[in-house]
């Protein structure tokens, strides 16, 4: 079983739709939860991160973590064609003096104009 | 503006060749990372370094080595390239800190024939 599971998609939605992207993880040692966005032919870039269970909002994006069920979500409101990208969840665990990110395989999102 | 650059966007090598992938960051980051990205498998950590001349194995170090002689430069070496090392290779850097954002380069698409 992979440590982090993510539906690969592609997920195709019309412009303006609410998008829900999800991950599950198996290791309860994860403490931080990050979402990276990767455009085609580019490296990933950090979109959001959260530390604890609950919601964190940043503009049209909301990250949600439920540690009890080991479930991570990213919601995008009023989705735009420019949101078309692959979204990678990345739970993080702290180890001694360093940390380790485990990346999901990514969900490809296509927002149609 | 953080910049992580990688020496080549595309590289084609033959089986058995020694391959060098170079990564340079200009933000004085302590940590540097090498990942490979494959469809359905996501990003997998090969090696990382938290200081000059320091290196730590990631999840899939077999067949690879690294070198970090200067803080800004982190090299990935394939001692004898094999076809199963055909992949997208991504370099990243970050400051020290448990929730520190990783900044990625654009990636090198390596094909081993």
């Amino acid at each position: 079983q992979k440590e982090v599971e993510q539906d690969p998609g592609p997920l195709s939605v019309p412009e303006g739709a609410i998008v829900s992207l999800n991950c599950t993880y198996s290791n309860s040692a994860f403490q931080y939860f990050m979402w990276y966005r990767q455009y085609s032919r580019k490296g990933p870039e950090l979109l959001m991160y959260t530390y604890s269970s609950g919601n964190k909002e940043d503009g049209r994006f909301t990250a949600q973590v439920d540690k009890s069920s080991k479930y991570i979500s990213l919601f995008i409101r009023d989705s735009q064609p420019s949101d078309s990208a692959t979204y990678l969840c990345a739970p993080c665990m702290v180890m001694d003096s360093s940390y380790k990110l485990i990346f999901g395989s990514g969900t490809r999102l296509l927002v149609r104009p | 503006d953080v910049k992580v650059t990688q020496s080549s966007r595309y590289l084609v090598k033959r089986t058995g060749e020694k391959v060098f992938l170079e990564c340079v960051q200009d933000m004085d980051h302590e940590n540097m990372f090498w990942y490979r990205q494959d469809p359905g498998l996501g990003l997998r950590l090969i090696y990382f370094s938290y200081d000059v001349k320091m290196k730590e194995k990631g999840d899939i170090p077999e067949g690879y080595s690294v070198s970090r002689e200067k803080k800004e430069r982190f090299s990935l070496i394939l001692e004898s390239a094999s076809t199963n090392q055909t992949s997208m290779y991504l370099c990243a850097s970050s400051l020290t800190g448990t929730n520190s954002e990783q900044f990625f380069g654009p990636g090198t698409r390596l094909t081993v024939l």
Side-chain angles (χ1 to χ4, degrees), chain A residues 19-113:
Chain A
V19 175
S20 172
L21 303 166
N22 307 298
C23 275
T24 58
Y25 63 94
S26 56
N27 193 336
S28 57
F30 291 129
Q31 296 167 286
Y32 298 87
F33 303 89
M34 304 187 178
W35 283 95
Y36 279 77
R37 178 176 61 194
Q38 185 175 21
Y39 290 113
S40 181
R41 290 187 292 278
K42 302 267 189 181
E45 55 182 358
L46 181 66
L47 190 59
M48 292 183 72
Y49 80 88
T50 57
Y51 175 64
S52 58
S53 281
N55 292 357
K56 181 177 180 180
E57 194 173 313
D58 184 1
R60 295 185 295 110
F61 297 88
T62 300
Q64 189 175 80
V65 176
D66 182 347
K67 284 188 176 180
S68 62
S69 59
K70 298 188 178 69
Y71 198 81
I72 314 163
S73 299
L74 178 71
F75 299 98
I76 307 174
R77 289 189 304 281
D78 187 27
S79 56
Q80 303 295 309
S82 59
D83 296 328
S84 298
T86 297
Y87 290 81
L88 304 152
C89 65
C92 175
M93 69 175 81
V94 178
M95 304 181 309
D96 297 327
S97 58
S98 67
Y99 67 96
K100 184 176 180 182
L101 288 178
I102 305 292
F103 284 89
S105 55
T107 299
R108 202 168 123 233
L109 172 67
L110 175 64
V111 181
R112 308 185 305 272

Side-chain angles (χ1 to χ4, degrees), chain A residues 1-19:
Chain A
Q1 183 194 4
K2 289 182 184 176
E3 279 193 281
V4 180
E5 299 271 6
Q6 198 174 359
D7 189 323
L11 180 62
S12 180
V13 301
E15 182 174 354
I18 296 174
V19 175

Side-chain angles (χ1 to χ4, degrees), chain B residues 2-17:
Chain B
V2 177
K3 199 144 191 191
V4 179
T5 56
Q6 296 184 230
S7 51
S8 306
R9 291 302 304 270
Y10 300 94
L11 211 52
V12 180
K13 295 292 181 180
R14 296 205 176 274
T15 302
E17 279 193 78

Side-chain angles (χ1 to χ4, degrees), chain B residues 1 17 20 40-41 45 69 72 74 76-78 86 91 106:
Chain B
D1 200 22
E17 279 193 78
F20 293 86
L41 297 176
L45 183 64
E69 296 297 317
E72 68 270 19
F74 193 35
L76 180 70
I77 303 153
L78 286 66
T86 292
C91 174

Side-chain angles (χ1 to χ4, degrees), chain B residues 49-97:
Chain B
S49 167
Y50 52 86
D51 202 351
V52 177
K53 295 193 187 296
M54 304 299 286
K55 60 185 178 185
E56 294 283 344
K57 292 180 180 179
D59 298 317
I60 51 163
E62 297 78 20
Y64 303 94
S65 62
V66 290
S67 171
R68 192 163 180 206
E69 296 297 317
K70 293 185 178 181
K71 190 175 185 179
E72 68 270 19
R73 189 180 296 269
F74 193 35
S75 302
L76 180 70
I77 303 153
L78 286 66
E79 295 289 342
S80 177
S82 62
T83 54
N84 62 13
Q85 292 178 309
T86 292
S87 186
M88 171 68 83
Y89 289 88
L90 289 159
C91 174
S93 71
S94 76
L95 291 168
T96 297

